Amino acid sequence: MSSPAAAPPAPNNLKRIVAASLVGTTIEWYDFFLYGSAAALVFNKLFFPDSDPLVGTLLSFLTYAVGFAARPLGALVFGHFGDRLGRKKLLVLSLLLMGGATFAIGLLPTHATVGSAAPVLLTALRLVQGFALGGEWGGAVLLVSEHGDARRRGFWASWPQTGAPAGQLLATGVLSVLTAVLSDSAFASWGWRIPFLLSGVLVVVGLWIRLSVDESPVFRQALAQAESRRKEAPARAEQLPLVSVLRHHWRDVLVAMGARMAENISYYVITAFILVYATTAADVSKQTALNAVLIASAVHFAVIPAWGALSDRIGRRPVYLLGAVGIGLWMFPFFALVDTGAFGGLVLAVTVGLVLHGAMYAPQAAFFSEMFATRMRYSGASIGAQFASVAAGAPAPLIATALLADYDSSTPIALYVIAAALVTVVAVGVAQETRHRDLADGDPAGGDPARDGSMPGDGTPGIASGAATERARPSATDARTM
């Protein structure tokens, strides 16, 4: 039987926890995506006005990529303290950092006012955004995963994932309204600041909700076990979470990184680069492109929980592989539809792309959470996810824009995404299924975690080293439902 500490919470409590994670991730992604959309639409003129328009866009996307470079550092710092102090405290801090940086971007002077200092300040605030987001994702999905039960973990853990399309929907929606009601000159002069300043209001709401939830019971249980071991053997030092992850879960980190390649690259090509491609190569207006992304993001939001629920029934890997293969096959039709210049074609292209992306993104939260032991789970999930973003999402709009500039064709861009899909298929293909994992389990091998170097109270090996044990032993929750 599961221990009381690991028992599923009451439905109302679980819904409040899901709501707290969803609201927080929505605000974080709103802030992050708002920058990406502004980089594609106006930052090239406001902060890099002396460059050729396409070169200015490249420079604008370069500052966009800088935010990704800071995400691994955020994963390391937030993961370390999240595994030591708890998930909730670090989630509050990440929300404050992200919201503060975004609000400050709305107050920035442009190149016309302070010259070269403007892009420097913009880059510094982008670094803060990336640092905060690097710590946000892991904590948000773990808070839900560790409160829920194994039977529906894929469904419940997918809700924080909907924060990405919700944030995209909110950011694109605000920009779409502003570009519709303001002239181009008014938007470039002061209108672009409004959505950044709105972040301050959103952060207050997010903090109010996030502060109302309890710490993860699985983490509290593991922490209590660690304290008990420390009292019994005070001379034994507890390894740092990062050291434990790299020692016991390095294969899982590589799997997570590979799994992120197609998911991350395809998303930023479909939602950020498309604003450049549609308005330059396909001669589509900014408003039309934004509206297409807006509609597709709404569909994306709706399908993610459905994909998460499906992963509870057939497994994380099948759903993830379906998305990876599908996104690779969709790339050439995607650009063909955009090239028509028709609004319907553009909506269909982006919507199908995001639906296939959702098949990867939805099970990712539960999949990555189930790979790692409790006292190193925040570090492991964050490192696997965020280190991959440096090679995947960070340069994706930059690479796609450079390929368009060099070849004046969408073919190299489609091949770029297809190559990423192949990497993800291989990574997920060699991984083991994790959906029966009980996150509160201790060391299934029966070893001494203090002796072998794993974290006290939870020495569970990852899917690469303990998969056979996990397959042979369904969770207590699943056993009750068989």
Side-chain angles (χ1 to χ4, degrees), residues 172-228:
T172 306
V174 172
L175 286 172
S176 182
V177 169
L178 289 173
T179 55
V181 301
L182 297 177
S183 65
D184 287 346
S185 60
F187 182 78
S189 176
W190 55 269
W192 67 272
R193 298 181 183 275
I194 294 175
F196 288 93
L197 297 176
L198 282 175
S199 179
V201 178
L202 296 175
V203 167
V204 172
V205 175
L207 285 174
W208 176 69
I209 297 175
R210 186 160 277 185
L211 287 168
S212 69
V213 302
D214 298 325
E215 182 55 81
S216 154
V218 172
F219 175 80
R220 291 201 308 266
Q221 180 185 11
L223 185 61
Q225 291 171 347
E227 289 297 328
S228 177

Side-chain angles (χ1 to χ4, degrees), residues 262-285:
E263 178 267 309
N264 219 217
I265 289 173
S266 65
Y267 189 81
Y268 290 105
V269 168
I270 292 170
T271 61
F273 170 72
I274 194 63
L275 298 178
V276 175
Y277 184 82
T279 55
T280 57
D283 197 26
V284 174
S285 69

Side-chain angles (χ1 to χ4, degrees), residues 288 291-293 295-296 299 337-338 342-353:
T288 300
N291 287 342
V293 174
I295 294 170
V299 177
L337 286 167
V338 176
F343 179 66
L346 187 59
V347 170
L348 180 62
V350 180
T351 300
V352 173

Side-chain angles (χ1 to χ4, degrees), residues 137-158:
W137 181 84
V141 299
L142 292 189
L143 197 64
V144 176
S145 295
E146 293 178 344
H147 271 92
D149 62 272
R151 187 171 60 89
R152 302 189 69 196
R153 185 181 299 130
F155 171 74
W156 289 116
S158 71

Side-chain angles (χ1 to χ4, degrees), residues 10 107 155 232 234 246 254 260 313 379 390 397 458:
L107 300 175
F155 171 74
E232 293 172 1
L246 296 181
L254 292 178
R260 283 276 281 168
R313 299 183 66 85
S379 295
V390 176
D458 194 334

Side-chain angles (χ1 to χ4, degrees), residues 269-337:
V269 168
I270 292 170
T271 61
F273 170 72
I274 194 63
L275 298 178
V276 175
Y277 184 82
T279 55
T280 57
D283 197 26
V284 174
S285 69
K286 286 189 299 185
Q287 186 66 44
T288 300
L290 283 169
N291 287 342
V293 174
L294 191 68
I295 294 170
S297 294
V299 177
H300 193 211
F301 179 91
V303 300
I304 284 178
W307 285 124
L310 184 62
S311 79
D312 285 327
R313 299 183 66 85
I314 67 174
R316 319 298 184 212
R317 292 173 67 250
V319 177
Y320 213 117
L321 288 170
L322 174 64
V325 172
I327 205 71
L329 295 175
W330 183 244
M331 275 301 100
F332 280 110
F334 172 82
F335 283 108
L337 286 167

